[in-house]
Coordinates of all heavy atoms in Angstrom, one line a residue:
M1 N -41.6 -70.8 57.3 CA -40.9 -70.7 58.5 C -39.4 -70.5 58.3 O -38.8 -71.2 57.4 CB -41.1 -72.0 59.3 CG -40.6 -71.9 60.7 SD -41.1 -73.3 61.7 CE -39.7 -74.5 61.4
L2 N -38.7 -69.6 59.0 CA -37.3 -69.3 58.8 C -36.5 -70.4 59.4 O -36.8 -70.9 60.5 CB -36.9 -68.0 59.5 CG -37.3 -66.7 58.7 CD1 -37.0 -65.5 59.6 CD2 -36.6 -66.6 57.4
K3 N -35.4 -70.8 58.7 CA -34.5 -71.8 59.3 C -33.1 -71.2 59.3 O -32.7 -70.5 58.4 CB -34.5 -73.0 58.4 CG -35.7 -73.9 58.5 CD -35.5 -75.2 57.7 CE -36.8 -76.0 57.9 NZ -36.7 -77.2 57.1
Y4 N -32.4 -71.4 60.4 CA -31.1 -70.9 60.6 C -30.1 -72.0 60.6 O -30.3 -73.0 61.3 CB -31.0 -70.1 61.9 CG -31.9 -68.9 61.9 CD1 -33.1 -68.9 62.5 CD2 -31.5 -67.7 61.3 CE1 -33.9 -67.8 62.5 CE2 -32.3 -66.6 61.2 CZ -33.5 -66.7 61.9 OH -34.4 -65.6 61.8
N5 N -29.0 -71.9 59.9 CA -28.0 -72.9 59.9 C -26.9 -72.5 60.9 O -26.0 -71.8 60.6 CB -27.4 -73.0 58.5 CG -26.4 -74.1 58.4 OD1 -26.0 -74.7 59.4 ND2 -25.9 -74.4 57.2
Y6 N -27.0 -73.1 62.1 CA -26.0 -72.7 63.1 C -24.7 -73.4 62.9 O -23.7 -73.1 63.6 CB -26.6 -73.1 64.5 CG -27.7 -72.2 64.9 CD1 -29.0 -72.6 64.9 CD2 -27.5 -70.8 65.2 CE1 -30.1 -71.8 65.2 CE2 -28.6 -70.0 65.5 CZ -29.8 -70.5 65.5 OH -30.9 -69.7 65.8
T7 N -24.6 -74.4 62.1 CA -23.4 -75.1 61.9 C -22.4 -74.4 60.9 O -21.3 -74.7 60.8 CB -23.6 -76.6 61.4 OG1 -24.3 -76.5 60.2 CG2 -24.4 -77.3 62.4
K8 N -23.0 -73.5 60.1 CA -22.2 -72.9 59.1 C -21.9 -71.4 59.5 O -22.5 -70.5 59.0 CB -22.9 -72.9 57.7 CG -21.9 -72.6 56.6 CD -22.5 -73.1 55.3 CE -21.4 -72.9 54.2 NZ -21.8 -73.4 52.9
E9 N -20.9 -71.2 60.4 CA -20.5 -69.9 60.8 C -19.5 -69.3 59.9 O -18.7 -70.1 59.3 CB -20.0 -69.9 62.2 CG -21.0 -70.3 63.3 CD -20.3 -70.4 64.6 OE1 -19.4 -69.6 64.9 OE2 -20.6 -71.3 65.4
I10 N -19.5 -68.0 59.7 CA -18.4 -67.4 58.9 C -17.4 -66.8 60.0 O -17.8 -66.0 60.8 CB -19.0 -66.3 58.1 CG1 -19.9 -66.8 57.0 CG2 -17.9 -65.5 57.4 CD1 -20.7 -65.8 56.3
V11 N -16.2 -67.4 60.0 CA -15.2 -67.0 60.9 C -14.1 -66.4 60.2 O -13.5 -67.0 59.3 CB -14.7 -68.2 61.8 CG1 -13.7 -67.7 62.8 CG2 -15.9 -68.8 62.5
L12 N -13.7 -65.2 60.5 CA -12.6 -64.5 59.8 C -11.3 -65.0 60.3 O -11.1 -65.1 61.5 CB -12.8 -63.0 60.1 CG -12.0 -62.0 59.3 CD1 -12.4 -62.1 57.8 CD2 -12.1 -60.6 59.8
L13 N -10.4 -65.3 59.4 CA -9.1 -65.7 59.8 C -8.3 -64.6 60.4 O -8.1 -63.5 59.7 CB -8.4 -66.4 58.6 CG -7.0 -66.9 58.9 CD1 -7.0 -68.1 59.9 CD2 -6.3 -67.4 57.7
L14 N -7.8 -64.7 61.6 CA -7.0 -63.6 62.2 C -5.5 -63.8 62.4 O -4.8 -63.0 62.9 CB -7.6 -63.3 63.6 CG -9.1 -63.0 63.6 CD1 -9.6 -62.8 65.0 CD2 -9.5 -61.8 62.8
I15 N -5.1 -65.0 61.9 CA -3.7 -65.4 62.1 C -3.0 -65.2 60.8 O -3.4 -65.7 59.7 CB -3.6 -66.8 62.5 CG1 -4.4 -67.2 63.7 CG2 -2.1 -67.2 62.8 CD1 -4.1 -66.4 65.0
E16 N -1.9 -64.4 60.8 CA -1.2 -64.0 59.6 C 0.2 -64.7 59.6 O 0.8 -64.8 60.7 CB -1.0 -62.5 59.6 CG -0.4 -62.0 58.4 CD -0.3 -60.4 58.5 OE1 -0.7 -59.8 59.4 OE2 0.3 -59.9 57.5
I17 N 0.6 -65.2 58.5 CA 1.9 -65.8 58.4 C 2.8 -64.8 57.7 O 2.5 -64.4 56.5 CB 1.9 -67.1 57.6 CG1 0.9 -68.1 58.2 CG2 3.3 -67.7 57.4 CD1 0.7 -69.4 57.4
L18 N 3.9 -64.4 58.3 CA 4.8 -63.5 57.7 C 5.6 -64.2 56.6 O 6.3 -65.2 56.9 CB 5.8 -62.8 58.7 CG 5.1 -62.1 59.8 CD1 6.1 -61.5 60.8 CD2 4.2 -61.0 59.3
P19 N 5.5 -63.7 55.4 CA 6.1 -64.4 54.2 C 7.6 -64.4 54.4 O 8.3 -63.5 54.8 CB 5.7 -63.6 53.0 CG 5.2 -62.3 53.5 CD 4.8 -62.5 55.0
D20 N 8.2 -65.5 53.9 CA 9.7 -65.7 53.8 C 10.4 -65.8 55.2 O 11.6 -65.7 55.2 CB 10.3 -64.6 52.9 CG 9.6 -64.6 51.5 OD1 9.3 -65.7 51.0 OD2 9.5 -63.5 51.0
K21 N 9.7 -65.8 56.3 CA 10.4 -65.9 57.6 C 10.4 -67.3 58.1 O 11.3 -67.6 59.0 CB 9.8 -64.9 58.6 CG 10.4 -63.6 58.7 CD 9.9 -62.8 59.8 CE 10.7 -63.0 61.1 NZ 10.2 -62.2 62.2
C22 N 9.5 -68.1 57.8 CA 9.3 -69.4 58.3 C 10.5 -70.4 58.0 O 11.0 -70.4 56.9 CB 8.0 -70.0 57.8 SG 7.7 -71.7 58.4
D23 N 11.0 -71.1 59.0 CA 12.0 -72.1 58.8 C 11.5 -73.5 58.8 O 12.2 -74.5 58.9 CB 13.2 -71.9 59.7 CG 12.9 -72.2 61.2 OD1 11.8 -72.7 61.4 OD2 13.7 -72.0 62.0
F24 N 10.2 -73.6 58.9 CA 9.5 -74.9 58.7 C 9.8 -75.9 59.8 O 10.0 -77.1 59.6 CB 9.7 -75.5 57.3 CG 9.5 -74.5 56.2 CD1 10.5 -73.9 55.5 CD2 8.2 -74.0 55.9 CE1 10.3 -73.0 54.5 CE2 8.0 -73.1 55.0 CZ 9.0 -72.5 54.2
C25 N 10.0 -75.4 61.0 CA 10.4 -76.2 62.1 C 9.2 -77.2 62.6 O 9.5 -78.2 63.2 CB 10.8 -75.4 63.3 SG 9.5 -74.4 64.1
G26 N 8.0 -76.7 62.4 CA 6.9 -77.6 62.7 C 6.3 -77.4 64.1 O 5.3 -78.0 64.5
C27 N 6.9 -76.5 64.9 CA 6.4 -76.3 66.3 C 4.9 -75.9 66.3 O 4.1 -76.4 67.1 CB 7.1 -75.1 67.0 SG 8.8 -75.6 67.3
C28 N 4.5 -75.0 65.4 CA 3.1 -74.5 65.4 C 2.1 -75.7 65.0 O 1.0 -75.8 65.5 CB 3.0 -73.4 64.4 SG 3.5 -73.8 62.7
V29 N 2.5 -76.6 64.1 CA 1.7 -77.7 63.7 C 1.4 -78.5 64.9 O 0.2 -79.0 65.1 CB 2.4 -78.5 62.6 CG1 1.5 -79.7 62.2 CG2 2.7 -77.7 61.4
G30 N 2.4 -78.8 65.8 CA 2.2 -79.6 66.9 C 1.2 -79.1 68.0 O 0.6 -79.9 68.7
V31 N 1.1 -77.8 68.1 CA 0.2 -77.2 69.1 C -1.2 -76.9 68.6 O -2.1 -76.7 69.4 CB 0.8 -75.9 69.7 CG1 2.1 -76.2 70.3 CG2 0.8 -74.8 68.7
C32 N -1.4 -76.9 67.3 CA -2.8 -76.6 66.8 C -3.8 -77.7 67.1 O -3.7 -78.8 66.7 CB -2.7 -76.4 65.3 SG -4.3 -76.0 64.6
P33 N -4.8 -77.3 67.9 CA -5.8 -78.3 68.3 C -6.8 -78.7 67.2 O -7.5 -79.7 67.3 CB -6.6 -77.6 69.5 CG -6.3 -76.2 69.3 CD -5.1 -76.0 68.5
E34 N -6.7 -77.9 66.1 CA -7.7 -78.2 65.0 C -7.0 -78.8 63.8 O -7.7 -79.0 62.8 CB -8.4 -76.8 64.6 CG -9.0 -76.0 65.8 CD -10.1 -76.7 66.5 OE1 -10.7 -77.6 65.8 OE2 -10.3 -76.4 67.6
D35 N -5.8 -79.1 63.9 CA -5.0 -79.6 62.7 C -5.2 -78.6 61.5 O -5.5 -79.0 60.4 CB -5.5 -81.0 62.3 CG -4.9 -82.0 63.2 OD1 -3.8 -81.8 63.8 OD2 -5.5 -83.1 63.4
A36 N -5.2 -77.3 61.8 CA -5.5 -76.3 60.8 C -4.2 -75.8 60.1 O -4.3 -74.9 59.2 CB -6.2 -75.1 61.4
I37 N -3.0 -76.3 60.4 CA -1.8 -75.8 59.8 C -1.3 -76.9 58.9 O -1.0 -78.0 59.4 CB -0.8 -75.4 60.8 CG1 -1.4 -74.3 61.8 CG2 0.5 -74.8 60.1 CD1 -0.5 -73.9 62.9
E38 N -1.1 -76.5 57.7 CA -0.6 -77.5 56.7 C 0.9 -77.1 56.4 O 1.2 -76.0 56.0 CB -1.4 -77.4 55.4 CG -1.3 -78.6 54.5 CD -2.3 -78.5 53.4 OE1 -2.0 -77.9 52.4 OE2 -3.4 -79.0 53.6
L39 N 1.8 -78.0 56.7 CA 3.2 -77.8 56.5 C 3.7 -78.8 55.5 O 3.7 -80.0 55.8 CB 3.9 -77.9 57.8 CG 5.4 -77.6 57.8 CD1 5.8 -76.2 57.4 CD2 6.0 -77.9 59.2
K40 N 4.2 -78.3 54.4 CA 4.8 -79.2 53.4 C 6.3 -78.8 53.4 O 6.7 -77.9 54.1 CB 4.2 -79.1 52.1 CG 2.8 -79.7 52.0 CD 2.2 -79.6 50.7 CE 0.7 -80.1 50.8 NZ -0.1 -79.6 49.6
E41 N 7.1 -79.4 52.6 CA 8.6 -79.2 52.6 C 9.0 -77.7 52.8 O 9.7 -77.4 53.8 CB 9.2 -79.8 51.4 CG 9.6 -81.2 51.6 CD 10.2 -81.8 50.3 OE1 10.9 -81.1 49.6 OE2 9.9 -83.0 50.0
A42 N 8.5 -76.9 52.0 CA 8.9 -75.5 52.1 C 7.7 -74.6 51.9 O 7.8 -73.5 51.3 CB 10.0 -75.1 51.1
E43 N 6.6 -75.0 52.5 CA 5.4 -74.3 52.3 C 4.5 -74.5 53.6 O 4.4 -75.6 54.1 CB 4.6 -74.8 51.1 CG 3.5 -73.9 50.7 CD 2.6 -74.6 49.6 OE1 3.2 -75.5 48.9 OE2 1.5 -74.3 49.5
I44 N 4.0 -73.4 54.1 CA 3.1 -73.4 55.2 C 1.8 -72.6 55.0 O 1.9 -71.5 54.4 CB 3.8 -72.9 56.5 CG1 2.9 -73.1 57.7 CG2 4.3 -71.5 56.4 CD1 3.7 -72.9 59.1
K45 N 0.7 -73.2 55.4 CA -0.5 -72.4 55.2 C -1.5 -72.8 56.3 O -1.5 -73.9 56.8 CB -1.1 -72.5 53.8 CG -1.8 -73.8 53.5 CD -2.5 -73.7 52.2 CE -3.3 -74.9 51.9 NZ -4.1 -74.9 50.7
I46 N -2.4 -71.9 56.6 CA -3.5 -72.1 57.6 C -4.7 -72.4 56.8 O -5.1 -71.7 55.9 CB -3.7 -71.0 58.6 CG1 -2.4 -70.8 59.4 CG2 -4.9 -71.2 59.5 CD1 -2.4 -69.6 60.3
I47 N -5.4 -73.5 57.2 CA -6.6 -73.9 56.5 C -7.8 -73.1 57.2 O -8.1 -73.3 58.4 CB -6.9 -75.4 56.6 CG1 -5.8 -76.1 56.0 CG2 -8.2 -75.7 56.0 CD1 -5.7 -77.6 56.4
E48 N -8.2 -72.1 56.5 CA -9.1 -71.1 57.1 C -10.4 -71.7 57.7 O -10.9 -71.3 58.7 CB -9.5 -70.1 56.0 CG -10.2 -68.8 56.5 CD -10.3 -67.8 55.4 OE1 -9.6 -67.9 54.3 OE2 -11.1 -66.9 55.5
E49 N -10.9 -72.7 57.0 CA -12.2 -73.3 57.5 C -12.0 -74.0 58.8 O -13.0 -74.3 59.5 CB -12.7 -74.3 56.4 CG -13.0 -73.7 55.1 CD -11.8 -73.4 54.2 OE1 -10.8 -74.0 54.4 OE2 -12.0 -72.5 53.3
L50 N -10.8 -74.4 59.2 CA -10.5 -75.2 60.4 C -10.1 -74.3 61.5 O -10.3 -74.6 62.7 CB -9.5 -76.3 60.2 CG -9.8 -77.4 59.1 CD1 -8.7 -78.4 59.0 CD2 -11.1 -78.1 59.5
C51 N -9.5 -73.2 61.2 CA -8.9 -72.3 62.3 C -9.9 -71.7 63.1 O -10.9 -71.1 62.6 CB -8.0 -71.3 61.6 SG -7.2 -70.2 62.8
T52 N -9.7 -71.7 64.5 CA -10.6 -71.0 65.4 C -10.0 -69.8 66.0 O -10.5 -69.2 66.9 CB -11.0 -72.0 66.5 OG1 -9.8 -72.4 67.2 CG2 -11.7 -73.2 66.0
N53 N -8.8 -69.4 65.5 CA -8.1 -68.2 65.9 C -7.7 -68.2 67.4 O -7.7 -67.2 68.1 CB -9.0 -66.9 65.7 CG -9.3 -66.7 64.3 OD1 -8.4 -66.6 63.4 ND2 -10.6 -66.5 63.9
C54 N -7.4 -69.4 67.9 CA -7.1 -69.6 69.3 C -5.7 -69.0 69.7 O -5.4 -68.8 70.8 CB -7.1 -71.1 69.7 SG -5.7 -72.0 69.0
S55 N -4.9 -68.8 68.7 CA -3.6 -68.1 68.9 C -2.5 -69.0 69.5 O -1.4 -68.6 69.7 CB -3.6 -66.9 69.8 OG -4.3 -65.9 69.2
K56 N -2.8 -70.3 69.7 CA -1.7 -71.2 70.2 C -0.5 -71.3 69.3 O 0.6 -71.3 69.8 CB -2.3 -72.6 70.5 CG -3.2 -72.6 71.6 CD -3.7 -74.0 71.9 CE -4.7 -74.0 73.1 NZ -5.4 -75.2 73.3
C57 N -0.7 -71.2 68.0 CA 0.4 -71.3 67.1 C 1.2 -70.0 67.2 O 2.5 -70.1 67.0 CB -0.2 -71.5 65.7 SG -1.3 -70.2 65.1
V58 N 0.6 -68.9 67.4 CA 1.3 -67.6 67.5 C 2.3 -67.7 68.6 O 3.5 -67.3 68.5 CB 0.4 -66.4 67.7 CG1 1.1 -65.1 67.9 CG2 -0.6 -66.3 66.5
W59 N 1.9 -68.2 69.8 CA 2.8 -68.3 71.0 C 3.8 -69.3 70.8 O 4.9 -69.3 71.5 CB 1.9 -68.5 72.2 CG 1.0 -67.3 72.4 CD1 -0.4 -67.4 72.4 CD2 1.3 -66.0 72.7 NE1 -0.9 -66.1 72.6 CE2 0.1 -65.3 72.8 CE3 2.5 -65.3 72.9 CZ2 0.1 -63.9 73.1 CZ3 2.5 -63.9 73.2 CH2 1.3 -63.2 73.3
S60 N 3.6 -70.3 70.0 CA 4.5 -71.4 69.9 C 5.7 -71.2 68.9 O 6.7 -71.8 69.0 CB 3.8 -72.7 69.4 OG 3.5 -72.6 68.0
C61 N 5.5 -70.2 68.0 CA 6.5 -70.0 67.0 C 7.8 -69.3 67.6 O 7.7 -68.2 68.2 CB 6.0 -69.1 65.9 SG 7.2 -68.8 64.6
P62 N 8.9 -69.9 67.6 CA 10.1 -69.4 68.2 C 10.7 -68.1 67.5 O 11.5 -67.4 68.1 CB 11.1 -70.5 68.2 CG 10.7 -71.4 67.1 CD 9.2 -71.3 66.9
I63 N 10.3 -67.9 66.3 CA 10.9 -66.8 65.5 C 9.8 -65.8 65.1 O 10.0 -65.0 64.1 CB 11.8 -67.2 64.4 CG1 11.0 -68.2 63.4 CG2 13.0 -67.9 64.9 CD1 11.8 -68.5 62.2
E64 N 8.6 -65.8 65.7 CA 7.6 -64.8 65.5 C 7.2 -64.7 64.0 O 7.1 -63.6 63.5 CB 8.0 -63.5 66.1 CG 8.2 -63.6 67.6 CD 8.6 -62.2 68.2 OE1 8.7 -61.3 67.5 OE2 8.7 -62.2 69.4
V65 N 7.0 -65.8 63.4 CA 6.5 -65.8 62.0 C 5.0 -65.6 61.9 O 4.5 -65.0 61.0 CB 6.9 -67.2 61.3 CG1 6.3 -67.3 59.9 CG2 8.4 -67.3 61.2
L66 N 4.3 -66.1 63.0 CA 2.9 -66.0 63.0 C 2.5 -64.8 63.9 O 3.1 -64.6 64.9 CB 2.3 -67.3 63.6 CG 2.6 -68.6 62.8 CD1 2.4 -69.8 63.6 CD2 1.7 -68.6 61.5
K67 N 1.5 -64.1 63.5 CA 1.0 -63.0 64.3 C -0.5 -62.8 64.2 O -1.1 -63.2 63.3 CB 1.7 -61.7 64.0 CG 1.4 -61.1 62.7 CD 2.0 -59.7 62.7 CE 1.4 -58.9 61.5 NZ 1.8 -57.5 61.5
F68 N -1.0 -62.3 65.3 CA -2.5 -62.0 65.3 C -2.7 -60.8 64.5 O -2.1 -59.7 64.7 CB -2.9 -61.7 66.8 CG -4.3 -62.2 67.1 CD1 -4.6 -63.6 67.1 CD2 -5.3 -61.3 67.3 CE1 -5.8 -64.0 67.4 CE2 -6.5 -61.7 67.6 CZ -6.8 -63.1 67.6
N69 N -3.6 -60.9 63.5 CA -3.8 -59.8 62.6 C -4.9 -58.8 63.1 O -6.1 -59.1 63.0 CB -4.2 -60.4 61.2 CG -4.4 -59.3 60.2 OD1 -4.6 -58.2 60.4 ND2 -4.2 -59.7 58.9
R70 N -4.5 -57.7 63.6 CA -5.4 -56.8 64.2 C -6.4 -56.2 63.2 O -7.6 -55.9 63.6 CB -4.7 -55.6 64.9 CG -3.9 -56.0 66.1 CD -4.1 -55.0 67.2 NE -3.8 -55.7 68.5 CZ -4.8 -56.1 69.3 NH1 -6.0 -55.9 68.9 NH2 -4.5 -56.7 70.4
N71 N -6.0 -56.1 62.0 CA -7.0 -55.6 61.0 C -8.2 -56.6 60.9 O -9.3 -56.2 60.7 CB -6.3 -55.5 59.6 CG -5.3 -54.3 59.6 OD1 -5.5 -53.3 60.3 ND2 -4.3 -54.4 58.8
G72 N -7.8 -57.8 61.0 CA -8.9 -58.9 60.9 C -9.8 -58.7 62.1 O -11.0 -58.8 62.0
I73 N -9.3 -58.5 63.3 CA -10.1 -58.3 64.5 C -11.0 -57.1 64.3 O -12.2 -57.2 64.5 CB -9.2 -58.1 65.7 CG1 -8.4 -59.3 66.0 CG2 -10.1 -57.7 67.0 CD1 -7.3 -59.1 67.0
E74 N -10.5 -56.0 63.8 CA -11.4 -54.8 63.6 C -12.5 -55.1 62.6 O -13.6 -54.7 62.8 CB -10.5 -53.6 63.2 CG -9.8 -53.0 64.3 CD -8.6 -52.2 63.9 OE1 -8.6 -51.8 62.7 OE2 -7.7 -51.9 64.7
A75 N -12.1 -55.8 61.5 CA -13.1 -56.1 60.5 C -14.2 -57.0 61.1 O -15.3 -56.8 60.8 CB -12.4 -56.8 59.3
A76 N -13.8 -57.9 62.0 CA -14.7 -58.9 62.5 C -15.7 -58.1 63.5 O -16.8 -58.6 63.6 CB -14.0 -60.0 63.3
E77 N -15.3 -57.0 64.0 CA -16.1 -56.3 65.0 C -17.1 -55.4 64.3 O -18.0 -54.8 65.0 CB -15.3 -55.6 66.0 CG -14.6 -56.5 67.0 CD -13.6 -55.7 67.9 OE1 -13.3 -54.6 67.6 OE2 -13.1 -56.3 68.9
L78 N -16.9 -55.1 63.0 CA -17.8 -54.2 62.3 C -19.2 -54.7 62.2 O -19.4 -55.9 62.1 CB -17.3 -53.8 61.0 CG -16.0 -53.0 60.9 CD1 -15.5 -52.8 59.5 CD2 -16.3 -51.6 61.6
Ligands
SF4_1 S1 -5.0 -70.0 65.7 FE1 -5.3 -72.0 66.8 S2 -6.7 -73.1 65.4 FE2 -5.8 -71.5 64.2 S3 -4.0 -72.3 63.2 FE3 -3.3 -71.4 65.1 S4 -3.3 -73.0 66.7 FE4 -4.6 -73.7 64.9
SF4_2 S1 6.6 -72.5 64.4 FE1 7.1 -70.7 63.2 S2 9.0 -71.2 62.1 FE2 8.1 -73.1 62.9 S3 6.9 -73.9 61.2 FE3 5.5 -72.7 62.5 S4 5.5 -70.6 61.6 FE4 7.3 -71.7 60.8

């Protein structure tokens, strides 16, 4: 009998961080509902396994460091 693992979805990360633009203000961390953004002193990264691509972080960034990666969207639709 076939078994399907519905809990282990493969979700493509669609949020891109533009390198060297972030000033580490922490606004995006505060709005992320999944705690998927890791901000250390001078380093920021998105934890791919936790991110749901909701885009809240993109809209929260005052200097447009985060963006929705269209290439990722196209790849996900293939
Ligand atoms: S897209 Fe949503 S879940 Fe992913 S890091 Fe941004 S706020 Fe968090
Ligand atoms: S909101 Fe923008 S500038 Fe602030 S920590 Fe997040 S990515 Fe960096």
Side-chain angles (χ1 to χ4, degrees):
M1 191 170 87
L2 283 174
K3 287 187 180 175
Y4 297 96
N5 184 355
Y6 290 107
T7 59
K8 195 160 186 180
E9 291 176 41
I10 297 171
V11 180
L12 194 65
L13 182 63
L14 304 178
I15 309 299
E16 187 178 355
I17 302 173
L18 300 180
D20 305 325
K21 264 190 90 180
C22 180
D23 67 7
F24 313 107
C25 69
C27 291
C28 56
V29 178
V31 301
C32 178
E34 310 296 336
D35 285 333
I37 304 174
E38 199 171 87
L39 181 64
K40 291 180 185 161
E41 270 178 38
E43 191 187 337
I44 184 168
K45 73 172 186 177
I46 295 176
I47 302 163
E48 194 170 345
E49 295 78 21
L50 297 180
C51 178
T52 58
N53 298 308
C54 73
S55 292
K56 288 184 179 172
C57 57
V58 175
W59 298 112
S60 77
C61 180
I63 54 173
E64 299 180 357
V65 172
L66 299 161
K67 70 171 193 171
F68 213 70
N69 186 334
R70 291 224 154 260
N71 291 330
I73 295 168
E74 283 161 15
E77 286 173 348
L78 288 177

